[in-house]
Every structure is written in structure tokens, then in C-alpha cells.
Amino acid sequence: MENRLNGPGEGRPEAEELLRLARREIGVKESPPGSNRVKYNTAYYGRETGGSGYSWCAVFLWWLFQQAGAPELYYGGRKTAYVPALLAYARRQGETAETPRPGDLVCFDFNGNRVADHIGLCESFDGEYVTTIDGNTGSSSENNGGEVMRRRRHKRYILGVIRPAYGEDEMTEQQFDAMMASYLARRGELEPSPWSEKAREWAEQNKVLSGDGQGMGYQRLCTREELVQMLYNAREKS
């Protein structure tokens, strides 16, 4: 197979390896438009195909894992072009996640019927928007556009996240610290919930919370040190 990343016995690829392969496919289109005639379908079905019954967003991902030498990471090494079946299998295997990270397979529901109708490979997620590389998408149709493209969508469209068992290196302490710092910073920027409005007004009026000069950061995590200080402030005001 062309562009193979790992041969048999060479171990599982890392997520970034699969992403590099996917990026090289951006711009590939079915020909003629609307035909579903594309090289990924040809590889999947073993012959040239065409017609409405050959949607290929999931087939594109199957092809990527084949090229990466890790077919077992897609549907247990079997074939399916049906996104709901792929998501159901991942859930049974415990191969799902709450929020996407690079290399995850993101299942989308665009019409709100709680059935996955499209899937893409996660390139990044900023907490609000996910960027994916998708097969069979386009500017005229999210899930039947006929092209490999990079897409950016709001998290409200995410129905499920599949996390393949990549052969990732062990996370270093420095990487973990950086990840946690980023996570805590994002939490500190979140708006407080409406139900705490009266309590927040009281705390601010009585200076139970002093803030850090950049807002109160109501959604950030609280250390014991901060908790003790808040209790002390409340006692002083009582």
C-alpha cells in the first residue's frame, strides 16, 4: 500500500503519524462530483464503486489505519462504513472519551436525532471548537461533500469520541504539568453558573474573595490554601 507508515510488527502508530498521513490527503475529491467514486472506496470494496450507497467518511478513516499498518485500531480490524456501528463498537470496547484530543475519531450529529451521521479525525480541540480532517465533506454538505477537508465545528455537534489505542510514548512530568496548567487556565476563564449569583454578590461585597486582579475565576479549582483564606475572610466579616 502507498504511504505506509508502519509495517507489520513495527508497533502501533502514534496519533501524530496518522494525522500527518491525513493531512497529505486534504484536497482529494471524488470524481465526478456526487459519484462517491474515490480511491478510498476502491480500496475498501476492492473495486471501483459509485452511487448513493457508498458514502465514505468512515471509509476514509479505515483507509488511513490501513496505510498506517494498524488496521486493528479501526473496528477491531474488521470493516464497516456505517458510523453508528463504529461508535457502538467503541463504546462496547471502552474506547471512548468525553472530550476529543488529536488522533481521536469524532462522531458528529448535525440534525439532532442522536444518531451519528459523520466522522472525522481530530486535529485539535480548544474546549469550544473541534478541528478535524474529514473524508466526504464539503462547503455544500457537512456529511456528503465529496472531498477530504479540514473542518472546524462547535462542540454541540459532537455525539461521541472514539479513542484508538495508539502506541503513544509515556507522558513526561513536564508534559503533564503543561497540560494541567493549560486546563486550569481555561477553567478560570469560564463564566460562573447563574444559580450562584446571590452567593457571589455576598462574597464580593464582604470581600470573602479577593480575586487576582484578572477576575474572580469562579470556575477554577480551589486549593486548600485558598479555601482556608476564604474561611478566614468570612470569619472576620461575621
Side-chain angles (χ1 to χ4, degrees), residues 23-116:
R23 292 180 188 117
R24 292 202 291 267
E25 298 301 305
I26 292 175
V28 173
K29 302 178 182 180
E30 59 188 39
S31 180
S35 67
N36 285 322
R37 188 170 297 155
V38 68
K39 68 178 184 178
Y40 315 112
N41 269 343
T42 301
Y44 184 88
Y45 294 102
R47 66 185 191 281
E48 191 173 85
T49 62
S52 60
Y54 295 97
S55 296
W56 49 276
C57 62
V59 169
F60 171 64
L61 295 175
W62 171 87
W63 184 89
L64 289 176
F65 284 105
Q66 294 289 316
Q67 299 299 304
E72 72 280 2
L73 298 187
Y74 180 93
Y75 202 52
R78 296 173 293 148
K79 286 184 175 182
T80 184
Y82 188 48
V83 180
L86 188 60
L87 179 57
Y89 172 82
R91 285 170 172 166
R92 291 195 302 270
Q93 299 299 311
E95 297 175 352
T96 58
E98 290 297 318
T99 55
R101 69 185 186 191
D104 286 349
L105 312 184
V106 184
C107 301
F108 295 100
D109 172 21
F110 297 122
N111 58 19
N113 67 353
R114 305 302 296 168
V115 177

Side-chain angles (χ1 to χ4, degrees), residues 1-228:
M1 286 183 283
E2 58 187 279
N3 295 328
R4 193 177 185 92
L5 297 179
N6 288 317
E10 293 184 65
R12 294 178 174 178
E14 295 183 8
E16 185 55 37
E17 290 182 273
L18 205 73
L19 283 164
R20 283 197 295 269
L21 179 56
R23 292 180 188 117
R24 292 202 291 267
E25 298 301 305
I26 292 175
V28 173
K29 302 178 182 180
E30 59 188 39
S31 180
S35 67
N36 285 322
R37 188 170 297 155
V38 68
K39 68 178 184 178
Y40 315 112
N41 269 343
T42 301
Y44 184 88
Y45 294 102
R47 66 185 191 281
E48 191 173 85
T49 62
S52 60
Y54 295 97
S55 296
W56 49 276
C57 62
V59 169
F60 171 64
L61 295 175
W62 171 87
W63 184 89
L64 289 176
F65 284 105
Q66 294 289 316
Q67 299 299 304
E72 72 280 2
L73 298 187
Y74 180 93
Y75 202 52
R78 296 173 293 148
K79 286 184 175 182
T80 184
Y82 188 48
V83 180
L86 188 60
L87 179 57
Y89 172 82
R91 285 170 172 166
R92 291 195 302 270
Q93 299 299 311
E95 297 175 352
T96 58
E98 290 297 318
T99 55
R101 69 185 186 191
D104 286 349
L105 312 184
V106 184
C107 301
F108 295 100
D109 172 21
F110 297 122
N111 58 19
N113 67 353
R114 305 302 296 168
V115 177
D117 48 26
H118 187 68
I119 192 168
L121 180 66
C122 178
E123 191 172 34
S124 65
F125 179 60
D126 64 7
E128 198 74 14
Y129 288 88
V130 60
T131 298
T132 56
I133 300 174
D134 304 2
N136 200 22
T137 189
S139 56
S140 62
S141 175
E142 291 279 10
N143 59 353
N144 193 25
E147 185 174 352
V148 179
M149 296 180 66
R150 177 180 284 115
R151 305 303 303 268
R152 184 173 184 266
R153 304 181 180 97
H154 193 271
K155 64 182 180 181
R156 67 177 177 272
Y157 295 115
I158 298 176
L159 180 64
V161 177
I162 300 172
R163 179 155 297 162
Y166 293 109
E168 307 289 6
D169 293 332
E170 185 177 347
M171 181 180 291
T172 66
E173 183 177 351
Q174 291 77 12
Q175 289 172 327
F176 176 80
D177 289 348
M179 182 180 69
M180 284 299 299
S182 175
Y183 168 74
L184 293 173
R186 291 198 307 272
R187 281 203 63 90
E189 294 172 358
L190 296 176
E191 293 296 322
S193 303
W195 57 264
S196 66
E197 182 176 0
K198 289 186 178 180
R200 286 185 280 109
E201 289 178 355
W202 172 84
E204 292 176 18
Q205 290 172 0
N206 290 279
K207 301 188 185 304
V208 174
L209 296 175
S210 58
D212 57 6
Q214 298 180 342
M216 294 296 182
Y218 279 106
Q219 293 283 6
R220 76 182 188 186
L221 302 184
C222 178
T223 66
R224 290 187 178 185
E225 183 178 28
E226 290 170 327
L227 175 61
V228 168

